[in-house]
């Protein structure tokens, strides 16, 4: 009976460790996705900037977003459908081509 009880406790303990490892892997995947979402191009003080992996630098070359939108170093944007626009100070575009405003924490990281 003691052996069965020890075996049951051992299985229970190992299941807990396995669950923690799975949670850790899922957290890591979520962190990666959140990191990817932070990657963006933005217009700040009349200059195009790129935020990649938490680092902000000058945009040195034109970029094509995953939806086909092209962003030029002067802030010109050409959508996949041919529509064009010019980014204004405070505007940002995520790597998937979605436009938005810079978040306050992004403004201060530069």
């Amino acid at each position: 009976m003691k052996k069965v009880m020890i075996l049951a406790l051992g299985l229970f303990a190992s299941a807990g460790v396995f669950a923690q490892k799975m949670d850790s892997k899922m957290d890591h995947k979520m962190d990666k996705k959140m990191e990817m979402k932070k990657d963006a191009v933005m217009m700040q003080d009349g200059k195009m900037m790129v935020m990649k992996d938490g680092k902000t630098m000058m945009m040195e070359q034109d970029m094509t977003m995953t939806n086909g939108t092209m962003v030029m170093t002067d802030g010109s944007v050409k959508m996949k459908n041919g529509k064009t626009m010019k980014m204004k100070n405070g505007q940002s575009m995520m790597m998937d081509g979605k436009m938005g405003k810079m978040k306050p924490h992004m403004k201060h990281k530069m």
Side-chain angles (χ1 to χ4, degrees):
M1 185 70 169
K2 283 185 179 179
K3 288 182 181 179
V4 172
M5 198 73 133
I6 291 172
L7 180 63
L9 282 172
L11 287 172
F12 183 73
S14 64
V17 169
F18 179 74
Q20 283 180 340
K21 283 184 179 179
M22 290 300 290
D23 284 346
S24 176
K25 284 181 182 178
M26 289 172 62
D27 287 345
H28 182 69
K29 283 183 181 178
M30 289 298 286
D31 289 344
K32 262 307 203 203
K33 275 190 175 180
M34 291 303 289
E35 246 178 55
M36 223 171 85
K37 287 201 174 256
K38 289 181 186 175
D39 292 349
V41 295
M42 63 202 93
M43 175 68 78
Q44 183 182 13
D45 300 324
K47 298 175 189 149
M48 285 301 292
M49 308 296 284
V50 178
M51 180 178 277
K52 185 90 169 135
D53 298 327
K55 296 178 184 167
T56 305
M57 61 205 88
M58 289 285 294
M59 185 174 165
E60 295 181 359
Q61 60 187 25
D62 298 346
M63 296 177 70
T64 302
M65 305 297 131
T66 57
N67 71 349
T69 299
M70 292 178 62
V71 181
M72 278 49 95
T73 56
D74 67 353
S76 301
V77 177
K78 185 175 181 182
M79 311 288 181
K80 192 174 182 179
N81 66 8
K83 183 179 173 185
T84 60
M85 63 164 287
K86 183 98 169 174
M87 290 180 71
K88 296 179 178 86
N89 277 325
Q91 286 185 316
S92 63
M93 182 176 287
M94 304 309 284
M95 295 302 171
D96 63 5
K98 292 185 181 167
M99 259 321 231
K101 290 237 178 233
M102 279 194 301
K103 293 183 174 115
H105 74 275
M106 291 173 89
K107 290 180 182 179
H108 299 292
K109 281 195 170 188
M110 291 174 231

